[in-house]
Amino acid sequence: MNIQQKATYDGSVFSYSDLVEYWRCPRRFGYKAIGFKHIEVNETLIRGQLFHYGIAAYHRGEVTMPLSLQPILNRMVDTIKDETEYVGANKLDEVKNVLEKALSEALTMLQRYLQYHAKTWMPLEVEERLYFGSAAGTPDLIALQDKQLWLVDFKTTGRDAPDLRTYELSGQVDYYAYLYAAAKGRPISIVQYEVITPENVMSHQRPPRPERGRYMLTQVQLLALQSSTGLLNTPHFSWDCTRCPFFRPCMAREQGASDLDILLGGEYTRGESRLAWKDSDFT
């Protein structure tokens, strides 16, 4: 089959985070879509993941105070160590220190939230994966409140006073609300952000915006029509390159390198492509 033809949907699914990656830079999204994964230990990201693990376990009734996320931390260390030789024995202590700091911060935020700010939700679905065609998503919480369906999205941040307009402009909760209605046949009445800062919790609630949610879902579904050739040949957005996790393979490829070992450079793993076919350089 001609590699230049437009790819057709092959059963892969894409999410809101994939769309954000695509809008940030098509090349950046392309590397992830064909299976590249950058091995990194991001304290901020892991802190947010640990908080979400804890709040989900709480809403499922699986944990009580005092909370302990140490087993999750241990699994994360093992996973990072097994995925690549990049985190070898000489790096493991450094990784553990970063993860333990993230764990301490996550537990502090979680305990404070549950003690002072937790709502009396009636949880119906906790982190349930939703699908509609090639679009997917995982809302943090679907709950019953005042005989209405609420969709709650938890966010963690290191800033004491984040601008809630950032979350409003993203359209993420509108995407989740529209996806839930499409997948389940039940409309969401209220969407709510719970933004957990180091010292406080900021909440914002409103009715969902169906037109925004429909637009976002359509854009996510269009990702399935991309081909790796088109994505990786798209001009990159140079002002973001220094912070991009795929800077090295992207620049090496632009300079003519095609050897997979060179492109991976010991800092990446390679999984299966989610696109209809891969770029000929990587087959």
Side-chain angles (χ1 to χ4, degrees):
M1 187 174 287
N2 189 336
I3 195 68
Q4 298 300 326
Q5 285 182 262
K6 183 186 289 186
T8 56
Y9 174 55
D10 67 344
S12 296
V13 294
F14 298 91
S15 65
Y16 171 84
S17 60
D18 291 317
L19 182 62
V20 171
E21 288 283 356
Y22 178 76
W23 281 348
R24 184 175 293 157
C25 177
R27 279 199 191 185
R28 178 170 171 151
F29 165 75
Y31 277 105
K32 282 192 172 183
I34 62 174
F36 276 82
K37 182 178 180 182
H38 184 232
I39 302 302
E40 62 179 343
V41 184
N42 185 314
E43 180 185 323
T44 301
L45 179 62
I46 291 172
R47 181 188 64 203
Q49 289 176 338
L50 288 169
F51 179 91
H52 277 79
Y53 291 152
I55 200 70
Y58 170 79
H59 284 128
R60 293 190 185 105
E62 297 171 357
V63 297
T64 56
M65 300 290 278
L67 293 165
S68 175
L69 299 180
Q70 191 65 44
I72 297 173
L73 175 69
N74 293 339
R75 289 201 301 271
M76 294 181 79
V77 172
D78 291 340
T79 298
I80 291 172
K81 184 179 179 182
D82 292 343
E83 278 187 341
T84 177
E85 296 179 0
Y86 176 59
V87 180
N90 60 327
K91 290 276 188 177
L92 196 54
D93 287 341
E94 178 184 336
V95 169
K96 284 183 175 179
N97 289 336
V98 172
L99 292 181
E100 286 172 358
K101 183 180 179 183
L103 174 68
S104 176
E105 293 175 352
L107 279 173
T108 299
M109 297 173 80
L110 188 59
Q111 289 169 341
R112 188 181 68 248
Y113 176 80
L114 294 179
Q115 187 172 357
Y116 299 109
H117 302 283
K119 309 296 190 298
T120 55
W121 307 112
M122 184 183 294
L124 299 180
E125 297 165 21
V126 181
E127 293 192 345
E128 179 178 330
R129 189 71 166 168
L130 302 172
Y131 299 93
F132 188 74
S134 58
T138 309
D140 291 336
L141 176 66
I142 304 294
L144 193 61
Q145 181 88 335
D146 301 326
K147 299 182 180 180
Q148 293 180 314
L149 280 180
W150 287 50
L151 187 151
V152 187
D153 192 49
F154 296 95
K155 300 291 185 186
T156 59
T157 177
R159 292 175 292 175
D160 290 329
D163 191 340
L164 290 180
R165 290 176 298 181
T166 302
Y167 305 106
E168 274 292 276
L169 291 172
S170 75
Q172 184 176 14
V173 289
D174 298 303
Y175 169 77
Y176 285 152
Y178 194 86
L179 178 64
Y180 184 86
K184 298 281 191 176
R186 300 195 300 271
I188 296 294
S189 299
I190 300 292
V191 295
Q192 175 157 330
Y193 294 107
E194 292 278 279
V195 183
I196 295 86
T197 75
E199 301 296 334
N200 200 6
V201 174
M202 303 174 69
S203 297
H204 177 67
Q205 63 190 52
R206 59 167 172 80
R209 300 173 295 190
E211 69 287 347
R212 179 67 171 167
R214 181 172 57 250
Y215 170 78
M216 300 293 285
L217 186 138
T218 300
Q219 295 303 305
V220 169
Q221 290 179 325
L222 289 175
L223 295 178
L225 301 179
Q226 298 287 348
S227 71
S228 54
T229 299
L231 288 167
L232 298 184
N233 287 334
T234 302
H236 57 88
F237 299 163
S238 58
W239 58 84
D240 197 41
C241 283
T242 56
R243 292 176 290 171
C244 179
F246 302 103
F247 174 79
R248 290 187 183 180
C250 186
M251 293 299 102
R253 184 178 182 278
E254 192 162 270
Q255 293 165 10
S258 60
D259 188 305
L260 188 59
D261 291 334
I262 294 175
L263 291 169
L264 291 175
E267 297 185 11
Y268 303 84
T269 57
R270 181 77 191 283
E272 291 299 316
S273 173
R274 292 190 291 154
L275 298 170
W277 48 76
K278 305 171 187 177
D279 188 276
S280 56
D281 284 347
F282 303 127
T283 54

